[in-house]
Amino acid sequence: DGEMHAAARQQSQLENELRVALDEGQLLFHYQPQLDISGRQVIGGEALVRWQHPERGMLAPGHFIGAAESSGLVVELGELALRCACRQVRDWIAQGLPPTRVAVNISPRQFRSSRLVESVAEALRESGIPPHLLELEITESMMLDEIESTKERLEGLHALGVDLTIDDFGTGYSCLAYLKHFPVQRLKIDKSFVDGVTEDADTAAIVEAVVRLGHSLRMRVLAEGIETGAQQARLQALGCDEVQGYYFGRPVSPETFAADLAARSELMAS
Ligand code: C2E
Ligand code: MG
Ligand code: MG
């Protein structure tokens, strides 16, 4: 009982701090590059939230996303992510960098929120960026709720011109039958499959099947969490289109991401 009380107290303290963090601008976003399978060209970046905590330093989402979700603050966090990502794309273009797509993670609670479509439209409107430069990452479990309202929601987003990706594909409760009804452009193979792809034949077989499935439904397939050249080579052989992982680049500040983009585009030009 005492332990439960302590846990509950800790949880509510975290929620209070998170509320302050949102109000005082302690949440920021790092960007991790996504590349074509050859690893030569950056095709986009994933926005990943960080909490610049006044005492605890820079916190990864694992420390607070759960509390954000259960308290409902994740809706606000998600809207901030959309605004920041769209402004970031706009600023990079204004700096003369090649237009680069940014992927934003949508949480289950945000996905169910009635403000979802409007908040995406608003972020696009405010920044003025072409909608195809924004991508939304959703997970399989979000699509299980009610098929009709999910479909309506996804179609609402699709109608805005943004791309939709299924994150962590293969780790949740899949609804393969519904995939064909939903306007999804990309599947993201989870790191747990990438980890085993070079050593385990069964894992490689699953990856190959996911690639085939994605391609037959006219989707692109991106693998995430790549840490070695051997993994990249295996994924390329299995037909993956795109990659993301520490092997190519860690999540970095927008300034560092932009500097890297600039260096690469100069290299391409020369
Ligand atoms: P995710 O969307 O699947 O993001 C990928 C996570 O894997 C990121 O962790 C990234 O830093 C990490 N990662 C990428 N490549 C590698 C690699 O090669 N090796 C290893 N070990 N890890 C790699 P991060 O930034 O800690 O984010 C964790 C999760 O938090 C995300 O998983 C996502 O579900 C959630 N999240 C992050 N930002 C947001 C956000 O703005 N909104 C919402 N709703 N969720 C977010
Ligand atoms: Mg993601
Ligand atoms: Mg993922």
Side-chain angles (χ1 to χ4, degrees), residues 46 48 105 137 167-168 188 224:
E46 179 174 7
L48 294 159
N105 291 285
E137 294 192 2
D167 200 357
D168 309 333
K188 228 175 152 174
E224 76 175 328

Side-chain angles (χ1 to χ4, degrees), residues 32 46 49-50 61 105 107 167-168 191 225-227 246 251:
Q32 184 179 29
E46 179 174 7
V49 68
R50 299 289 179 263
N105 291 285
S107 87
D167 200 357
D168 309 333
K191 181 176 187 306
I226 289 144
E227 295 182 343
Y246 291 175

